[in-house]
Amino acid sequence: MSGRLAGVSTVFRREIATVVRTPGYGVLAVGLLAALGGLLAAGGGGATGFVPAVVDLLLPTEALVPLVAVVLGYRALLTDAASGELAVIRTYPVRVGEYVAGVLLARLVALVAAVGVPYAAIGAVVWLTAAPDTGIFATHTGVDSPLLYLRFLAFVLLLGAAYVSLAAAVSALAASRRSAIALGSLALVAGVLGGDLVLLRSLAAGASPTTVPASIALAPNGAFRGLVFEHVIGVAFAPEGGFVSTARAVASVVGWTLLGAVVAGVTLAYGRRVDAAVERVRREIGD
């Protein structure tokens, strides 16, 4: 076990150094902070409290956080494979699973910096500037607490982790930077819009509305949205809950994260064998 942890730690430290040397990630964080600040100023929720701020940020978050996560992960494994460094790394006692785990952990740290810090800064601004007489909602006896925003931030990072993992899987599958961008864009669009489109299609086909809470949790964005409504917005406006099953939604986001890691690992471990087998079949067919 210690040997495996040492392998993960070595790859993790190497990948962290790569992230630190990439100034574009810092620009990405600054851009996200500017976008969130502008959206909050336009919506006006930040001047009222944490929950109104979350309401203003919820929809943009479903697009911005996956976008940032895909940018962080779409070349995470491709760069080493394309440069030949992965082949060199494989000569050391580092297994594919350890390599993928180390890279993903480093990218998740980058996610916390690029996404968590801007959202935390927005929360601090709301805390310092929200009107003191608007902390209690007229529709509910509860208080607009910073704890609700911390829950929102935790769900944001969960969503981002799922997309970082899926983007890493894309980077393992891609053969070039162009294909990585194309596959990453496809994964982004499918993740952001796919779940809602499938749900709307099923409802249009006659599915019962009672299936919505269960169906919405299947996609990462739907699971994130349900968790925010259930544990952040709903605490102030609908204490009885019922937006989504918390266990199902968390399992969905964690499942997508694990799926991306598994696909990346399997692709790196067996991708060459599959390519060789496909090439042999092509030769046989050609002959």
Side-chain angles (χ1 to χ4, degrees), residues 122-170:
I122 291 296
V125 170
V126 173
W127 195 357
L128 293 173
T129 60
D133 59 342
T134 58
I136 300 178
F137 287 88
T139 57
H140 188 262
T141 57
V143 177
D144 182 43
S145 167
L147 178 61
L148 298 178
Y149 190 83
L150 289 177
R151 291 180 184 177
F152 174 65
L153 178 56
F155 298 146
V156 166
L157 293 178
L158 276 176
L159 177 67
Y163 277 94
V164 166
S165 181
L166 292 172
V170 163

mmCIF file of all heavy atoms in Angstrom, residues 122-170:
data_model
loop_
_atom_site.group_PDB
_atom_site.id
_atom_site.type_symbol
_atom_site.label_atom_id
_atom_site.label_comp_id
_atom_site.label_asym_id
_atom_site.label_seq_id
_atom_site.Cartn_x
_atom_site.Cartn_y
_atom_site.Cartn_z
ATOM 1 N N ILE A 122 -16.716 35.466 -3.741
ATOM 2 C CA ILE A 122 -18.071 36.001 -3.928
ATOM 3 C C ILE A 122 -18.874 35.882 -2.637
ATOM 4 O O ILE A 122 -19.600 36.802 -2.250
ATOM 5 C CB ILE A 122 -18.778 35.256 -5.083
ATOM 6 C CG1 ILE A 122 -18.136 35.607 -6.423
ATOM 7 C CG2 ILE A 122 -20.274 35.578 -5.099
ATOM 8 C CD1 ILE A 122 -18.275 37.066 -6.813
ATOM 9 N N GLY A 123 -18.747 34.745 -1.955
ATOM 10 C CA GLY A 123 -19.439 34.567 -0.684
ATOM 11 C C GLY A 123 -18.994 35.590 0.350
ATOM 12 O O GLY A 123 -19.815 36.111 1.118
ATOM 13 N N ALA A 124 -17.694 35.887 0.376
ATOM 14 C CA ALA A 124 -17.187 36.882 1.319
ATOM 15 C C ALA A 124 -17.751 38.261 1.007
ATOM 16 O O ALA A 124 -18.105 39.028 1.923
ATOM 17 C CB ALA A 124 -15.660 36.905 1.274
ATOM 18 N N VAL A 125 -17.850 38.577 -0.284
ATOM 19 C CA VAL A 125 -18.419 39.873 -0.680
ATOM 20 C C VAL A 125 -19.874 39.971 -0.245
ATOM 21 O O VAL A 125 -20.316 41.007 0.282
ATOM 22 C CB VAL A 125 -18.281 40.067 -2.206
ATOM 23 C CG1 VAL A 125 -19.078 41.293 -2.654
ATOM 24 C CG2 VAL A 125 -16.820 40.217 -2.589
ATOM 25 N N VAL A 126 -20.636 38.906 -0.439
ATOM 26 C CA VAL A 126 -22.041 38.912 -0.017
ATOM 27 C C VAL A 126 -22.137 39.071 1.488
ATOM 28 O O VAL A 126 -22.978 39.827 2.003
ATOM 29 C CB VAL A 126 -22.730 37.601 -0.467
ATOM 30 C CG1 VAL A 126 -24.144 37.519 0.106
ATOM 31 C CG2 VAL A 126 -22.772 37.513 -1.985
ATOM 32 N N TRP A 127 -21.287 38.394 2.219
ATOM 33 C CA TRP A 127 -21.285 38.481 3.682
ATOM 34 C C TRP A 127 -21.038 39.913 4.152
ATOM 35 O O TRP A 127 -21.654 40.400 5.103
ATOM 36 C CB TRP A 127 -20.209 37.551 4.226
ATOM 37 C CG TRP A 127 -20.334 37.280 5.701
ATOM 38 C CD1 TRP A 127 -21.244 37.809 6.571
ATOM 39 C CD2 TRP A 127 -19.528 36.389 6.470
ATOM 40 N NE1 TRP A 127 -21.059 37.304 7.824
ATOM 41 C CE2 TRP A 127 -20.009 36.433 7.792
ATOM 42 C CE3 TRP A 127 -18.452 35.566 6.154
ATOM 43 C CZ2 TRP A 127 -19.428 35.678 8.816
ATOM 44 C CZ3 TRP A 127 -17.887 34.809 7.168
ATOM 45 C CH2 TRP A 127 -18.368 34.866 8.480
ATOM 46 N N LEU A 128 -20.125 40.612 3.446
ATOM 47 C CA LEU A 128 -19.738 41.951 3.883
ATOM 48 C C LEU A 128 -20.694 43.037 3.398
ATOM 49 O O LEU A 128 -20.773 44.108 4.028
ATOM 50 C CB LEU A 128 -18.325 42.265 3.380
ATOM 51 C CG LEU A 128 -17.191 41.422 3.982
ATOM 52 C CD1 LEU A 128 -15.876 41.724 3.271
ATOM 53 C CD2 LEU A 128 -17.061 41.671 5.480
ATOM 54 N N THR A 129 -21.395 42.789 2.305
ATOM 55 C CA THR A 129 -22.188 43.860 1.698
ATOM 56 C C THR A 129 -23.697 43.668 1.780
ATOM 57 O O THR A 129 -24.437 44.619 1.520
ATOM 58 C CB THR A 129 -21.813 44.019 0.212
ATOM 59 O OG1 THR A 129 -22.077 42.791 -0.485
ATOM 60 C CG2 THR A 129 -20.333 44.359 0.072
ATOM 61 N N ALA A 130 -24.177 42.466 2.101
ATOM 62 C CA ALA A 130 -25.629 42.247 2.139
ATOM 63 C C ALA A 130 -26.265 43.107 3.226
ATOM 64 O O ALA A 130 -25.692 43.307 4.298
ATOM 65 C CB ALA A 130 -25.936 40.778 2.394
ATOM 66 N N ALA A 131 -27.468 43.617 2.914
ATOM 67 C CA ALA A 131 -28.175 44.470 3.861
ATOM 68 C C ALA A 131 -28.490 43.690 5.136
ATOM 69 O O ALA A 131 -29.010 42.581 5.068
ATOM 70 C CB ALA A 131 -29.471 44.983 3.228
ATOM 71 N N PRO A 132 -28.206 44.250 6.317
ATOM 72 C CA PRO A 132 -28.396 43.501 7.561
ATOM 73 C C PRO A 132 -29.844 43.203 7.899
ATOM 74 O O PRO A 132 -30.117 42.279 8.654
ATOM 75 C CB PRO A 132 -27.771 44.426 8.610
ATOM 76 C CG PRO A 132 -27.851 45.794 8.008
ATOM 77 C CD PRO A 132 -27.670 45.590 6.536
ATOM 78 N N ASP A 133 -30.774 43.956 7.335
ATOM 79 C CA ASP A 133 -32.184 43.743 7.679
ATOM 80 C C ASP A 133 -32.877 42.769 6.734
ATOM 81 O O ASP A 133 -34.097 42.630 6.772
ATOM 82 C CB ASP A 133 -32.944 45.076 7.673
ATOM 83 C CG ASP A 133 -32.878 45.760 6.313
ATOM 84 O OD1 ASP A 133 -31.991 45.397 5.519
ATOM 85 O OD2 ASP A 133 -33.703 46.655 6.077
ATOM 86 N N THR A 134 -32.123 42.094 5.880
ATOM 87 C CA THR A 134 -32.745 41.154 4.949
ATOM 88 C C THR A 134 -32.319 39.722 5.237
ATOM 89 O O THR A 134 -32.460 38.856 4.405
ATOM 90 C CB THR A 134 -32.368 41.510 3.499
ATOM 91 O OG1 THR A 134 -30.943 41.488 3.381
ATOM 92 C CG2 THR A 134 -32.905 42.860 3.109
ATOM 93 N N GLY A 135 -31.795 39.472 6.421
ATOM 94 C CA GLY A 135 -31.336 38.138 6.750
ATOM 95 C C GLY A 135 -32.458 37.161 6.988
ATOM 96 O O GLY A 135 -32.281 35.957 6.884
ATOM 97 N N ILE A 136 -33.657 37.653 7.343
ATOM 98 C CA ILE A 136 -34.788 36.782 7.625
ATOM 99 C C ILE A 136 -35.798 36.897 6.495
ATOM 100 O O ILE A 136 -36.229 37.989 6.149
ATOM 101 C CB ILE A 136 -35.450 37.140 8.969
ATOM 102 C CG1 ILE A 136 -34.428 37.004 10.106
ATOM 103 C CG2 ILE A 136 -36.657 36.270 9.230
ATOM 104 C CD1 ILE A 136 -34.969 37.385 11.451
ATOM 105 N N PHE A 137 -36.189 35.765 5.931
ATOM 106 C CA PHE A 137 -37.131 35.764 4.821
ATOM 107 C C PHE A 137 -38.557 35.883 5.355
ATOM 108 O O PHE A 137 -38.926 35.270 6.344
ATOM 109 C CB PHE A 137 -37.007 34.467 4.012
ATOM 110 C CG PHE A 137 -35.771 34.421 3.180
ATOM 111 C CD1 PHE A 137 -34.591 33.931 3.704
ATOM 112 C CD2 PHE A 137 -35.782 34.884 1.879
ATOM 113 C CE1 PHE A 137 -33.438 33.892 2.935
ATOM 114 C CE2 PHE A 137 -34.643 34.844 1.105
ATOM 115 C CZ PHE A 137 -33.466 34.351 1.635
ATOM 116 N N ALA A 138 -39.362 36.649 4.648
ATOM 117 C CA ALA A 138 -40.753 36.800 5.054
ATOM 118 C C ALA A 138 -41.529 35.516 4.839
ATOM 119 O O ALA A 138 -42.539 35.269 5.494
ATOM 120 C CB ALA A 138 -41.404 37.942 4.263
ATOM 121 N N THR A 139 -41.091 34.665 3.928
ATOM 122 C CA THR A 139 -41.811 33.430 3.616
ATOM 123 C C THR A 139 -41.429 32.273 4.520
ATOM 124 O O THR A 139 -41.971 31.194 4.403
ATOM 125 C CB THR A 139 -41.537 33.024 2.158
ATOM 126 O OG1 THR A 139 -40.121 32.892 1.985
ATOM 127 C CG2 THR A 139 -42.066 34.079 1.204
ATOM 128 N N HIS A 140 -40.455 32.494 5.401
ATOM 129 C CA HIS A 140 -39.977 31.393 6.224
ATOM 130 C C HIS A 140 -39.369 31.951 7.495
ATOM 131 O O HIS A 140 -38.860 33.065 7.523
ATOM 132 C CB HIS A 140 -38.934 30.587 5.433
ATOM 133 C CG HIS A 140 -38.527 29.323 6.124
ATOM 134 N ND1 HIS A 140 -37.389 29.227 6.871
ATOM 135 C CD2 HIS A 140 -39.133 28.113 6.183
ATOM 136 C CE1 HIS A 140 -37.278 28.008 7.368
ATOM 137 N NE2 HIS A 140 -38.327 27.320 6.968
ATOM 138 N N THR A 141 -39.422 31.198 8.545
ATOM 139 C CA THR A 141 -38.903 31.665 9.824
ATOM 140 C C THR A 141 -37.406 31.440 9.956
ATOM 141 O O THR A 141 -36.804 31.793 10.959
ATOM 142 C CB THR A 141 -39.604 30.922 10.977
ATOM 143 O OG1 THR A 141 -39.410 29.524 10.800
ATOM 144 C CG2 THR A 141 -41.075 31.240 11.015
ATOM 145 N N GLY A 142 -36.775 30.832 8.975
ATOM 146 C CA GLY A 142 -35.351 30.553 9.044
ATOM 147 C C GLY A 142 -34.517 31.773 8.723
ATOM 148 O O GLY A 142 -35.006 32.822 8.329
ATOM 149 N N VAL A 143 -33.202 31.631 8.902
ATOM 150 C CA VAL A 143 -32.268 32.721 8.705
ATOM 151 C C VAL A 143 -31.369 32.407 7.512
ATOM 152 O O VAL A 143 -30.982 31.265 7.300
ATOM 153 C CB VAL A 143 -31.417 32.939 9.972
ATOM 154 C CG1 VAL A 143 -30.384 34.032 9.745
ATOM 155 C CG2 VAL A 143 -32.300 33.279 11.155
ATOM 156 N N ASP A 144 -31.074 33.427 6.734
ATOM 157 C CA ASP A 144 -30.179 33.280 5.591
ATOM 158 C C ASP A 144 -28.754 33.153 6.121
ATOM 159 O O ASP A 144 -28.125 34.141 6.459
ATOM 160 C CB ASP A 144 -30.330 34.504 4.688
ATOM 161 C CG ASP A 144 -29.473 34.404 3.436
ATOM 162 O OD1 ASP A 144 -29.435 33.318 2.851
ATOM 163 O OD2 ASP A 144 -28.855 35.408 3.077
ATOM 164 N N SER A 145 -28.245 31.933 6.201
ATOM 165 C CA SER A 145 -26.988 31.660 6.888
ATOM 166 C C SER A 145 -25.844 31.448 5.910
ATOM 167 O O SER A 145 -26.048 30.901 4.823
ATOM 168 C CB SER A 145 -27.151 30.414 7.766
ATOM 169 O OG SER A 145 -25.902 29.946 8.198
ATOM 170 N N PRO A 146 -24.617 31.824 6.313
ATOM 171 C CA PRO A 146 -23.448 31.498 5.492
ATOM 172 C C PRO A 146 -23.276 29.993 5.296
ATOM 173 O O PRO A 146 -22.660 29.561 4.324
ATOM 174 C CB PRO A 146 -22.278 32.078 6.297
ATOM 175 C CG PRO A 146 -22.885 33.123 7.154
ATOM 176 C CD PRO A 146 -24.263 32.647 7.475
ATOM 177 N N LEU A 147 -23.816 29.191 6.209
ATOM 178 C CA LEU A 147 -23.741 27.746 6.067
ATOM 179 C C LEU A 147 -24.407 27.274 4.779
ATOM 180 O O LEU A 147 -23.945 26.326 4.139
ATOM 181 C CB LEU A 147 -24.398 27.067 7.271
ATOM 182 C CG LEU A 147 -24.455 25.535 7.248
ATOM 183 C CD1 LEU A 147 -23.049 24.950 7.198
ATOM 184 C CD2 LEU A 147 -25.214 25.003 8.453
ATOM 185 N N LEU A 148 -25.477 27.951 4.395
ATOM 186 C CA LEU A 148 -26.157 27.579 3.147
ATOM 187 C C LEU A 148 -25.252 27.831 1.948
ATOM 188 O O LEU A 148 -25.230 27.044 1.004
ATOM 189 C CB LEU A 148 -27.457 28.377 3.005
ATOM 190 C CG LEU A 148 -28.506 28.143 4.094
ATOM 191 C CD1 LEU A 148 -29.730 29.025 3.861
ATOM 192 C CD2 LEU A 148 -28.918 26.678 4.137
ATOM 193 N N TYR A 149 -24.489 28.911 2.000
ATOM 194 C CA TYR A 149 -23.571 29.186 0.884
ATOM 195 C C TYR A 149 -22.423 28.185 0.875
ATOM 196 O O TYR A 149 -21.944 27.785 -0.192
ATOM 197 C CB TYR A 149 -23.026 30.612 0.988
ATOM 198 C CG TYR A 149 -22.281 31.033 -0.259
ATOM 199 C CD1 TYR A 149 -22.973 31.515 -1.367
ATOM 200 C CD2 TYR A 149 -20.894 30.921 -0.348
ATOM 201 C CE1 TYR A 149 -22.296 31.880 -2.529
ATOM 202 C CE2 TYR A 149 -20.211 31.280 -1.493
ATOM 203 C CZ TYR A 149 -20.930 31.767 -2.586
ATOM 204 O OH TYR A 149 -20.257 32.114 -3.734
ATOM 205 N N LEU A 150 -21.970 27.768 2.049
ATOM 206 C CA LEU A 150 -20.928 26.753 2.114
ATOM 207 C C LEU A 150 -21.421 25.438 1.520
ATOM 208 O O LEU A 150 -20.659 24.716 0.856
ATOM 209 C CB LEU A 150 -20.480 26.544 3.558
ATOM 210 C CG LEU A 150 -19.672 27.683 4.180
ATOM 211 C CD1 LEU A 150 -19.360 27.376 5.644
ATOM 212 C CD2 LEU A 150 -18.387 27.929 3.403
ATOM 213 N N ARG A 151 -22.680 25.103 1.750
ATOM 214 C CA ARG A 151 -23.260 23.914 1.117
ATOM 215 C C ARG A 151 -23.246 24.068 -0.402
ATOM 216 O O ARG A 151 -22.890 23.132 -1.130
ATOM 217 C CB ARG A 151 -24.698 23.707 1.597
ATOM 218 C CG ARG A 151 -24.845 23.289 3.047
ATOM 219 C CD ARG A 151 -26.314 23.123 3.380
ATOM 220 N NE ARG A 151 -26.536 22.809 4.786
ATOM 221 C CZ ARG A 151 -27.726 22.667 5.344
ATOM 222 N NH1 ARG A 151 -28.834 22.831 4.582
ATOM 223 N NH2 ARG A 151 -27.846 22.373 6.612
ATOM 224 N N PHE A 152 -23.641 25.234 -0.864
ATOM 225 C CA PHE A 152 -23.639 25.501 -2.298
ATOM 226 C C PHE A 152 -22.233 25.333 -2.872
ATOM 227 O O PHE A 152 -22.047 24.707 -3.923
ATOM 228 C CB PHE A 152 -24.155 26.915 -2.556
ATOM 229 C CG PHE A 152 -24.072 27.378 -3.985
ATOM 230 C CD1 PHE A 152 -24.810 26.767 -4.978
ATOM 231 C CD2 PHE A 152 -23.232 28.435 -4.329
ATOM 232 C CE1 PHE A 152 -24.727 27.186 -6.302
ATOM 233 C CE2 PHE A 152 -23.151 28.867 -5.644
ATOM 234 C CZ PHE A 152 -23.898 28.246 -6.631
ATOM 235 N N LEU A 153 -21.226 25.852 -2.167
ATOM 236 C CA LEU A 153 -19.851 25.743 -2.626
ATOM 237 C C LEU A 153 -19.407 24.280 -2.686
ATOM 238 O O LEU A 153 -18.718 23.866 -3.627
ATOM 239 C CB LEU A 153 -18.933 26.536 -1.698
ATOM 240 C CG LEU A 153 -17.428 26.498 -2.004
ATOM 241 C CD1 LEU A 153 -17.157 26.966 -3.430
ATOM 242 C CD2 LEU A 153 -16.657 27.355 -1.005
ATOM 243 N N ALA A 154 -19.812 23.487 -1.704
ATOM 244 C CA ALA A 154 -19.476 22.060 -1.713
ATOM 245 C C ALA A 154 -20.093 21.364 -2.910
ATOM 246 O O ALA A 154 -19.436 20.540 -3.583
ATOM 247 C CB ALA A 154 -19.950 21.408 -0.414
ATOM 248 N N PHE A 155 -21.337 21.692 -3.235
ATOM 249 C CA PHE A 155 -21.999 21.083 -4.395
ATOM 250 C C PHE A 155 -21.342 21.545 -5.694
ATOM 251 O O PHE A 155 -21.242 20.773 -6.661
ATOM 252 C CB PHE A 155 -23.483 21.427 -4.403
ATOM 253 C CG PHE A 155 -24.239 20.910 -3.211
ATOM 254 C CD1 PHE A 155 -25.308 21.625 -2.666
ATOM 255 C CD2 PHE A 155 -23.896 19.706 -2.616
ATOM 256 C CE1 PHE A 155 -26.002 21.147 -1.575
ATOM 257 C CE2 PHE A 155 -24.588 19.221 -1.527
ATOM 258 C CZ PHE A 155 -25.640 19.943 -0.996
ATOM 259 N N VAL A 156 -20.883 22.797 -5.740
ATOM 260 C CA VAL A 156 -20.182 23.309 -6.920
ATOM 261 C C VAL A 156 -18.910 22.501 -7.172
ATOM 262 O O VAL A 156 -18.616 22.110 -8.310
ATOM 263 C CB VAL A 156 -19.844 24.803 -6.730
ATOM 264 C CG1 VAL A 156 -18.825 25.268 -7.774
ATOM 265 C CG2 VAL A 156 -21.107 25.649 -6.850
ATOM 266 N N LEU A 157 -18.156 22.225 -6.111
ATOM 267 C CA LEU A 157 -16.920 21.466 -6.262
ATOM 268 C C LEU A 157 -17.201 20.017 -6.651
ATOM 269 O O LEU A 157 -16.432 19.413 -7.411
ATOM 270 C CB LEU A 157 -16.107 21.532 -4.968
ATOM 271 C CG LEU A 157 -15.560 22.927 -4.616
ATOM 272 C CD1 LEU A 157 -14.821 22.892 -3.288
ATOM 273 C CD2 LEU A 157 -14.643 23.453 -5.722
ATOM 274 N N LEU A 158 -18.290 19.450 -6.133
ATOM 275 C CA LEU A 158 -18.677 18.093 -6.545
ATOM 276 C C LEU A 158 -18.981 18.049 -8.045
ATOM 277 O O LEU A 158 -18.554 17.131 -8.756
ATOM 278 C CB LEU A 158 -19.902 17.629 -5.753
ATOM 279 C CG LEU A 158 -19.660 17.019 -4.380
ATOM 280 C CD1 LEU A 158 -20.993 16.703 -3.711
ATOM 281 C CD2 LEU A 158 -18.813 15.759 -4.476
ATOM 282 N N LEU A 159 -19.719 19.044 -8.514
ATOM 283 C CA LEU A 159 -20.031 19.121 -9.944
ATOM 284 C C LEU A 159 -18.756 19.261 -10.761
ATOM 285 O O LEU A 159 -18.573 18.574 -11.770
ATOM 286 C CB LEU A 159 -20.963 20.303 -10.207
ATOM 287 C CG LEU A 159 -21.327 20.581 -11.672
ATOM 288 C CD1 LEU A 159 -22.178 19.456 -12.235
ATOM 289 C CD2 LEU A 159 -22.056 21.924 -11.805
ATOM 290 N N GLY A 160 -17.879 20.140 -10.326
ATOM 291 C CA GLY A 160 -16.633 20.337 -11.039
ATOM 292 C C GLY A 160 -15.776 19.088 -11.068
ATOM 293 O O GLY A 160 -15.151 18.774 -12.084
ATOM 294 N N ALA A 161 -15.754 18.345 -9.957
ATOM 295 C CA ALA A 161 -14.958 17.115 -9.900
ATOM 296 C C ALA A 161 -15.442 16.098 -10.927
ATOM 297 O O ALA A 161 -14.635 15.408 -11.568
ATOM 298 C CB ALA A 161 -15.021 16.522 -8.492
ATOM 299 N N ALA A 162 -16.749 16.001 -11.095
ATOM 300 C CA ALA A 162 -17.293 15.068 -12.083
ATOM 301 C C ALA A 162 -16.826 15.433 -13.488
ATOM 302 O O ALA A 162 -16.413 14.558 -14.273
ATOM 303 C CB ALA A 162 -18.821 15.061 -12.013
ATOM 304 N N TYR A 163 -16.837 16.717 -13.815
ATOM 305 C CA TYR A 163 -16.437 17.126 -15.162
ATOM 306 C C TYR A 163 -14.921 17.055 -15.363
ATOM 307 O O TYR A 163 -14.461 16.787 -16.483
ATOM 308 C CB TYR A 163 -16.960 18.536 -15.460
ATOM 309 C CG TYR A 163 -18.383 18.543 -15.933
ATOM 310 C CD1 TYR A 163 -19.430 18.726 -15.044
ATOM 311 C CD2 TYR A 163 -18.694 18.335 -17.268
ATOM 312 C CE1 TYR A 163 -20.753 18.708 -15.468
ATOM 313 C CE2 TYR A 163 -20.003 18.321 -17.714
ATOM 314 C CZ TYR A 163 -21.039 18.507 -16.803
ATOM 315 O OH TYR A 163 -22.347 18.482 -17.237
ATOM 316 N N VAL A 164 -14.136 17.292 -14.313
ATOM 317 C CA VAL A 164 -12.684 17.116 -14.432
ATOM 318 C C VAL A 164 -12.363 15.663 -14.759
ATOM 319 O O VAL A 164 -11.539 15.365 -15.630
ATOM 320 C CB VAL A 164 -11.976 17.550 -13.133
ATOM 321 C CG1 VAL A 164 -10.536 17.048 -13.121
ATOM 322 C CG2 VAL A 164 -11.983 19.059 -12.996
ATOM 323 N N SER A 165 -13.033 14.741 -14.059
ATOM 324 C CA SER A 165 -12.807 13.320 -14.300
ATOM 325 C C SER A 165 -13.236 12.919 -15.710
ATOM 326 O O SER A 165 -12.521 12.189 -16.409
ATOM 327 C CB SER A 165 -13.561 12.495 -13.260
ATOM 328 O OG SER A 165 -13.347 11.120 -13.443
ATOM 329 N N LEU A 166 -14.397 13.385 -16.140
ATOM 330 C CA LEU A 166 -14.862 13.071 -17.491
ATOM 331 C C LEU A 166 -13.950 13.685 -18.553
ATOM 332 O O LEU A 166 -13.686 13.073 -19.594
ATOM 333 C CB LEU A 166 -16.297 13.572 -17.673
ATOM 334 C CG LEU A 166 -17.367 12.845 -16.851
ATOM 335 C CD1 LEU A 166 -18.709 13.562 -16.961
ATOM 336 C CD2 LEU A 166 -17.506 11.392 -17.300
ATOM 337 N N ALA A 167 -13.454 14.893 -18.285
ATOM 338 C CA ALA A 167 -12.526 15.522 -19.227
ATOM 339 C C ALA A 167 -11.215 14.756 -19.292
ATOM 340 O O ALA A 167 -10.608 14.643 -20.360
ATOM 341 C CB ALA A 167 -12.264 16.971 -18.816
ATOM 342 N N ALA A 168 -10.773 14.209 -18.156
ATOM 343 C CA ALA A 168 -9.560 13.391 -18.158
ATOM 344 C C ALA A 168 -9.768 12.131 -18.998
ATOM 345 O O ALA A 168 -8.858 11.689 -19.710
ATOM 346 C CB ALA A 168 -9.174 13.021 -16.729
ATOM 347 N N ALA A 169 -10.957 11.556 -18.909
ATOM 348 C CA ALA A 169 -11.272 10.398 -19.751
ATOM 349 C C ALA A 169 -11.205 10.780 -21.232
ATOM 350 O O ALA A 169 -10.691 10.022 -22.066
ATOM 351 C CB ALA A 169 -12.656 9.855 -19.404
ATOM 352 N N VAL A 170 -11.719 11.951 -21.553
ATOM 353 C CA VAL A 170 -11.651 12.449 -22.936
ATOM 354 C C VAL A 170 -10.199 12.594 -23.371
ATOM 355 O O VAL A 170 -9.821 12.229 -24.494
ATOM 356 C CB VAL A 170 -12.385 13.801 -23.036
ATOM 357 C CG1 VAL A 170 -11.999 14.535 -24.317
ATOM 358 C CG2 VAL A 170 -13.891 13.587 -22.989
#
